[in-house]
């Protein structure tokens, strides 16, 4: 019973996830001419065959075949809601790698030149105290010996040399006691297999005094349940729903049949203190649970503002119509991703500390996350991890 109900779902899903990760690495590493591309191609095949073995065990061996056919539904290779007739292994790529070792590398969140080569890191600053990595990889079959050396004593590395068959990461951070007191850029020298590369390490020591959620390279990410202050009304209150968000908890108002409110006129609202180092236009993505439009044609609304702006009233169901002949894209995305994103624009926001305000208008909206883009947001499925939070006086 334990294997059937608990362990087998874990084993199946763990194996499946590892297979898809290996397939993704194979595709990326083949593009980068890494020697490990073929290893991950082989690994995909091994895991695909392991899935079949797990299925056979469930059908033939577990409890003497009691649950035969129970796990027979196709579950690999979906392209639409209608499952394919057979499981299909993800496509893989094999490359011909030279016998001699070859040096390659990637820089976490790195800048690139017009040929796509990594040239350096994003800025390090003492508020976020970032640690980024350089991933050193081998483009050949023989082991790669490499060395990595900072040209400035304020650049810290997790190691100075190594020998790799495939790849490994070297972590880079800053000794702020030794770092220059104004904007500067240092260098790291990476060498091996007869090649040599210089990687830029820019630092920005003089950042504004920060409070609340702090910008990191053009992004501020806030979990909705981590509000700075909540303001309830006499009969409506904000409620945190533990673990409901995709990356944390969620927040909504109770009771769920409360009357519609007018923002700024006693309506409950939340405050999130944040600090941005980049001035100008900010965009805010609100991550919402995909509540159905039970208000029929009206949709469910909330309001948003930064500081003393006039609140923008947002309809989370705006533009959502269901045609007779097919499921629309917004429906498919809501079901598969279990999230809706609504974006607002806020012009002329000065660098410094501000307050993001979220008002309740209609009940039933469940907030999971807010992502403020100050020019550095990159695509990701779950959104960036939560920004560092600094309390007053820290």
């Amino acid at each position: 019973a334990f294997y059937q109900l608990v362990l087998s779902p874990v084993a199946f899903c763990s194996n499946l996830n590892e297979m898809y990760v290996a397939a993704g690495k194979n595709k990326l590493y083949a593009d980068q001419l890494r020697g490990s591309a073929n290893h991950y191609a082989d690994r995909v095949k091994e895991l695909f065959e392991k899935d079949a073995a797990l299925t056979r065990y469930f059908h033939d061996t577990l409890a003497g075949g009691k649950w035969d056919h129970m796990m027979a539904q196709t579950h690999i290779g979906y392209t639409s809601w209608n499952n394919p007739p057979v499981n299909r292994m993800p496509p893989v790529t094999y490359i011909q790698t030279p016998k001699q070792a070859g040096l390659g590398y990637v820089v976490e969140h790195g800048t690139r030149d017009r040929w796509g080569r990594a040239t350096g890191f994003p800025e390090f600053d003492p508020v976020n105290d970032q640690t980024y990595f350089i991933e050193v990889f081998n483009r050949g079959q023989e082991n790669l010996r490499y060395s990595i050396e900072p040209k400035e004593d304020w650049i810290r590395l997790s190691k100075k040399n190594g020998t790799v068959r495939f790849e490994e990461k070297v972590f880079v951070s800053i000794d702020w006691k030794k770092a220059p007191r104004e904007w500067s850029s240092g260098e790291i020298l990476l060498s091996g297999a007869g090649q040599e590369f210089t990687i830029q390490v820019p630092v920005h020591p003089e950042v504004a005094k920060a409070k609340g959620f702090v910008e990191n390279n053009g992004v501020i990410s806030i979990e909705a349940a981590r509000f700075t202050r909540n303001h309830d009304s006499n009969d409506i209150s904000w409620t945190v729903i533990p673990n409901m968000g995709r990356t944390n908890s969620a927040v909504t108002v109770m009771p769920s049949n409360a009357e519609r409110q007018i923002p700024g006129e006693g309506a409950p609202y939340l405050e999130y203190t944040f600090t941005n180092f980049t001035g100008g236009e900010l965009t805010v993505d609100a991550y919402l649970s995909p509540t159905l439009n039970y208000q029929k044609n009206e949709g469910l609304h909330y309001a948003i503002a930064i500081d003393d702006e006039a609140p923008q009233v947002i309809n989370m169901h705006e533009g959502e119509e269901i045609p007779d002949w097919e499921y629309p894209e917004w429906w498919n995305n809501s079901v598969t991703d279990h999230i809706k994103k609504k974006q607002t624009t806020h012009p002329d926001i000065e660098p410094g500390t501000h307050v993001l305000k979220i008002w309740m208008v209609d009940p039933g909206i469940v907030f999971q996350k807010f992502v403020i883009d100050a020019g550095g947001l990159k695509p990701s499925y779950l959104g960036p991890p939560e920004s560092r939070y600094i309390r007053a006086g820290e």
Side-chain angles (χ1 to χ4, degrees), residues 44-62:
V44 171
K45 184 178 179 181
E46 291 172 6
L47 295 165
F48 182 74
E49 292 173 346
K50 182 179 177 180
D51 178 88
L54 288 169
T55 303
R56 286 194 301 270
Y57 176 83
F58 201 101
H59 291 166
D60 302 339
T61 306
L62 179 63

Side-chain angles (χ1 to χ4, degrees), residues 229-245:
R229 285 174 291 275
N230 62 308
H231 301 267
D232 300 334
S233 65
N234 291 334
D235 52 357
I236 304 173
S237 59
W238 292 101
T239 301
V240 174
I241 308 174
N243 302 313
M244 186 174 184

Side-chain angles (χ1 to χ4, degrees), residues 149-157 160 172-180 184-188 201 203:
E149 179 183 358
K151 291 188 175 180
E152 285 75 24
D153 64 353
W154 44 266
I155 301 174
R156 297 187 296 198
L157 303 177
K160 297 293 184 68
V172 181
S173 59
I174 305 299
D175 184 343
W176 292 107
K177 294 181 180 179
K178 298 180 180 179
S184 184
S185 184
E187 292 181 339
I188 294 173
V201 183
V203 291

Side-chain angles (χ1 to χ4, degrees), residues 16-231:
L16 197 67
N17 284 327
E18 188 178 352
M19 182 188 69
Y20 280 120
V21 169
K25 287 184 175 181
N26 167 255
K27 182 179 186 303
L28 175 64
Y29 293 176
D31 291 341
Q32 296 173 340
L33 306 180
R34 296 198 193 195
S36 59
N38 296 342
H39 163 77
Y40 283 104
D42 292 338
R43 187 66 179 144
V44 171
K45 184 178 179 181
E46 291 172 6
L47 295 165
F48 182 74
E49 292 173 346
K50 182 179 177 180
D51 178 88
L54 288 169
T55 303
R56 286 194 301 270
Y57 176 83
F58 201 101
H59 291 166
D60 302 339
T61 306
L62 179 63
K66 177 180 180 179
W67 302 109
D68 192 18
H69 299 296
M70 197 70 176
M71 302 297 291
Q73 182 177 2
T74 308
H75 54 275
I76 302 175
Y78 271 67
T79 56
S80 71
W81 65 269
N82 187 19
N83 59 282
V86 295
N87 289 320
R88 179 173 295 180
M89 190 182 84
V92 296
T93 299
Y94 285 91
I95 62 174
Q96 292 183 341
T97 55
K99 182 179 180 181
Q100 296 78 15
L103 175 62
Y105 71 99
V106 293
V107 176
E108 185 180 13
H109 304 310
T111 55
R112 297 181 178 274
D113 61 21
R114 60 178 180 172
W115 295 283
R117 296 175 302 197
T119 58
F121 288 99
E123 285 186 351
F124 292 78
D125 70 75
V127 176
N128 289 287
D129 194 18
Q130 299 93 338
T131 296
Y132 296 126
F133 65 77
I134 300 170
E135 188 167 34
V136 180
F137 60 83
N138 187 2
R139 285 178 164 163
Q141 299 175 28
E142 296 177 346
N143 285 345
L144 168 69
R145 293 181 177 85
Y146 72 90
S147 64
I148 183 167
E149 179 183 358
K151 291 188 175 180
E152 285 75 24
D153 64 353
W154 44 266
I155 301 174
R156 297 187 296 198
L157 303 177
S158 61
K159 62 186 307 182
K160 297 293 184 68
N161 54 69
T163 301
V164 293
R165 180 188 176 195
F166 290 142
E167 54 259 331
E168 69 179 5
K169 293 176 180 177
V170 178
F171 293 91
V172 181
S173 59
I174 305 299
D175 184 343
W176 292 107
K177 294 181 180 179
K178 298 180 180 179
R181 300 304 178 190
E182 56 186 20
W183 190 96
S184 184
S185 184
E187 292 181 339
I188 294 173
L189 187 65
L190 173 64
S191 58
Q195 296 176 286
E196 192 172 277
F197 299 97
T198 300
I199 303 167
Q200 301 297 318
V201 183
V203 291
H204 188 191
E206 295 180 353
V207 295
K209 187 172 180 59
K211 289 192 299 183
F213 295 94
V214 181
E215 176 188 335
N216 187 1
N217 288 304
V219 176
I220 304 156
S221 180
I222 304 171
E223 296 290 349
R226 298 251 294 150
F227 44 81
T228 308
R229 285 174 291 275
N230 62 308
H231 301 267

